[in-house]
Amino acid sequence: MCVEDRISNLPDHIRCHILSFLPIQEAVRTSIISTKWRNLFASISTVDFDTYLLCGLTDRNVDSFKNFVDRLLKFPNQLSLDCFRLRGDEFDSWNDGDYDFDVSGWICAAVCRGVKEIDLFLDNFCHTLPDLLFTCHSLLTLTLTAKYSKIFEVPSEVCLRNLKTLCITNSVLVGDSLNRLISNCHVLEDLTFDECSVANAREINIQIPSLKSLYLDFFFPTGALNYVVVINAPNLVYFRYDSVIVEGCSLSNMKSLEKADICIWFDSSNYETSATHLFQGICNVRSLRLNIHEVIPLASRIPIFHNLVEFEFYGRESWLVEFLHFAPNLKTLTVKFQDVAGTRWNIGVPSCLSLHLKKIEISDYATYMIEIVRYLLDNSMVLEKLIIRVDAMTPTQENKARNQLLPLLKSSKKCLIVIL
């Protein structure tokens, strides 16, 4: 019985699109199917190399691998690239020192082919990135992971006029280079610095009208906190800050902000002022996740969070008691306490409890939190659901907690209490 080969009869551009979903070695193997497939892999729009391809390479076939990559990227009259990706992990990377790969040449070849997305894992990389990368007008997405590398030296001429997503991980960011890069990405919408450190900077200046999502996760060597973070992003919708509080923090014109995820700890004498400025900058947010490792005195400088309706809190009980007074319209509260110090919850009921709070969830419940639960039930006039999570307890502790909470379940008529 003869089976018709319909795939081989498809137009070249469709078969190339199919090949782009295969691992590169599988795409190459299709060249033995027939003459129609012989060189088709060289025209795929996604070039994706993983360091597992380097396993078992000998001196003899390293040169063959280099020639293959050169041919794939630099062959004349090839189609434009949608994506060029070099994957890696903590054990293997595209380190020029080990194999003398022409990674910079590969990047330049991708840029010359009008690449739209570049994703590079370059741990232990010995060189800086080629200047040509920073003037790539076709580039829409740039992702860099560069632990133990010194690649982040941005040239004097930068123009990434169509770049919409920039993600940099495990890199040392030099102040002048960083600001020069940010200021020349005029249509950037998504900016991420994940587990990066900053060197030789007085100010990190992020003023991008088009920015919609911003994630800052910095770690700092000793003495590297003496600079200011300035953010002016009128269209920012999501903001995540996971870092030590720096010397100064100025957030302005963030009226579009809907969600913020803030994790802060303190390592400077000026932390109260900087943290206060941070809160003032995000006060328009509707949904806030806050992980705070110290207690900031809530003086009059803390703004009222009029728009806040969802609040997820990880920290000290005493700070939450006070903060609820600054969130008058809160509807949903999720808490996980760092410690419970026996704060007197019965002093001054926040208006959100009386008027708006409908759902509360307490994670990692312990029996000494029973007074908190009673206070919330007694003062939350419109509460519809209280979820108490005891799943982190031992069976004995969980039994004790359920017996402790049972009278509350029986006495609560308006609120549904769920123990998980």
Side-chain angles (χ1 to χ4, degrees):
M1 181 178 178
C2 181
V3 179
E4 183 182 359
D5 182 2
R6 294 184 178 181
I7 295 180
S8 293
N9 291 325
L10 292 172
D12 286 356
H13 70 279
I14 294 179
R15 287 185 289 135
C16 281
H17 184 66
I18 294 172
L19 290 184
S20 68
F21 293 97
L22 297 177
I24 191 68
Q25 69 273 25
E26 300 297 333
V28 172
R29 288 187 181 124
T30 62
S31 61
I32 65 172
I33 294 175
S34 70
T35 54
K36 284 186 177 182
W37 293 85
R38 183 162 297 166
N39 293 312
L40 193 64
F41 71 88
S43 298
I44 58 177
S45 59
T46 297
V47 176
D48 187 341
F49 290 107
D50 197 302
T51 48
Y52 75 81
L53 294 170
L54 307 180
C55 297
L57 280 183
T58 64
D59 291 340
R60 170 187 277 181
N61 54 24
V62 162
D63 288 335
S64 297
F65 180 76
K66 291 179 186 177
N67 291 334
F68 165 70
V69 179
D70 287 344
R71 180 187 172 197
L72 188 61
L73 289 171
K74 302 176 184 179
F75 199 77
N77 301 321
Q78 288 178 313
L79 301 174
S80 61
L81 275 181
D82 288 331
C83 178
F84 173 59
R85 183 178 293 115
L86 294 178
R87 299 176 187 264
D89 55 39
E90 59 183 309
F91 304 106
D92 297 296
S93 67
W94 300 93
N95 187 348
D96 280 9
D98 289 340
Y99 296 106
D100 196 27
F101 292 132
D102 185 17
V103 173
S104 295
W106 297 348
I107 295 170
C108 289
V111 169
C112 291
R113 286 182 58 182
V115 67
K116 296 176 183 176
E117 177 183 353
I118 291 181
D119 185 350
L120 305 173
F121 187 96
L122 299 176
D123 280 11
N124 299 297
F125 195 63
C126 305
H127 305 285
T128 57
L129 294 170
D131 291 359
L132 193 63
L133 173 64
F134 296 97
T135 55
C136 181
H137 295 165
S138 62
L139 197 60
L140 302 178
T141 301
L142 176 59
T143 303
L144 299 173
T145 301
K147 195 174 183 180
Y148 308 124
S149 302
K150 297 180 180 180
I151 66 171
F152 206 85
E153 294 181 14
V154 178
S156 57
E157 184 179 350
V158 180
C159 184
L160 294 167
R161 64 187 183 192
N162 291 309
L163 191 70
K164 292 190 174 182
T165 300
L166 175 61
C167 179
I168 300 175
T169 303
N170 287 136
S171 297
V172 177
L173 309 173
V174 180
D176 290 342
S177 288
L178 175 60
N179 288 325
R180 187 159 57 250
L181 175 62
I182 293 172
S183 63
N184 285 282
C185 299
H186 302 298
V187 297
L188 199 64
E189 295 181 357
D190 190 338
L191 176 60
T192 298
F193 296 116
D194 187 5
E195 296 186 5
C196 293
S197 61
V198 179
N200 304 323
R202 293 183 178 179
E203 181 178 279
I204 296 178
N205 200 330
I206 302 172
Q207 302 199 47
I208 309 173
S210 58
L211 198 63
K212 295 179 181 178
S213 176
L214 176 61
Y215 175 22
L216 302 179
D217 180 352
F218 293 138
F219 65 88
F220 302 91
T222 303
L225 300 171
N226 56 343
Y227 63 86
V228 177
V229 175
V230 177
I231 302 172
N232 186 333
N235 291 299
L236 195 68
V237 176
Y238 174 73
F239 177 48
R240 180 173 176 181
Y241 186 90
D242 188 345
S243 178
V244 174
I245 286 291
V246 294
E247 180 76 17
C249 195
S250 173
L251 283 70
S252 60
N253 203 11
M254 295 176 69
K255 295 181 179 180
S256 299
L257 194 65
E258 294 183 6
K259 186 174 183 178
D261 188 343
I262 309 296
C263 178
I264 52 177
W265 59 95
F266 308 105
D267 193 26
S268 70
S269 58
N270 197 39
Y271 77 84
E272 289 183 19
T273 301
S274 297
T276 299
H277 289 163
L278 177 63
F279 288 125
Q280 289 171 343
I282 65 170
C283 66
N284 289 304
V285 73
R286 290 179 55 83
S287 176
L288 174 61
R289 183 178 185 271
L290 179 62
N291 190 333
I292 187 167
H293 297 273
E294 299 291 340
V295 174
I296 303 173
L298 291 173
S300 58
R301 292 181 300 170
I302 293 291
I304 303 296
F305 286 72
H306 289 286
N307 299 327
L308 188 64
V309 293
E310 296 179 1
F311 185 38
E312 189 173 343
F313 176 75
Y314 298 82
R316 296 186 179 181
E317 167 213 14
S318 55
W319 201 85
L320 175 65
V321 175
E322 295 186 52
F323 182 81
L324 289 179
H325 289 278
F326 295 87
N329 297 305
L330 192 66
K331 293 182 179 179
T332 301
L333 173 64
T334 301
V335 296
K336 182 177 180 180
F337 293 118
Q338 191 177 26
D339 61 54
V340 175
T343 303
R344 294 179 64 190
W345 280 69
N346 58 346
I347 298 178
V349 178
S351 61
C352 63
L353 293 185
S354 303
L355 301 173
H356 300 290
L357 199 61
K358 294 185 176 182
K359 180 182 176 182
I360 300 174
E361 180 173 338
I362 300 175
S363 296
D364 288 358
Y365 175 79
T367 52
Y368 55 77
M369 299 179 188
I370 187 64
E371 292 304 320
I372 298 174
V373 175
R374 287 199 181 103
Y375 172 85
L376 292 172
L377 285 172
D378 290 343
N379 293 284
S380 299
M381 297 294 100
V382 294
L383 191 64
E384 297 175 356
K385 191 173 185 178
L386 172 61
I387 300 174
I388 301 174
R389 295 191 175 273
V390 297
D391 47 341
M393 291 180 162
T394 65
T396 302
Q397 290 172 331
E398 184 177 335
N399 240 358
K400 184 178 178 180
R402 289 182 181 276
N403 290 333
Q404 183 190 53
L405 294 167
L406 188 59
L408 299 180
L409 269 70
K410 293 179 178 179
S411 62
S412 179
K413 297 178 180 179
K414 295 181 180 179
C415 175
L416 173 64
I417 301 177
V418 180
I419 303 175
L420 299 175

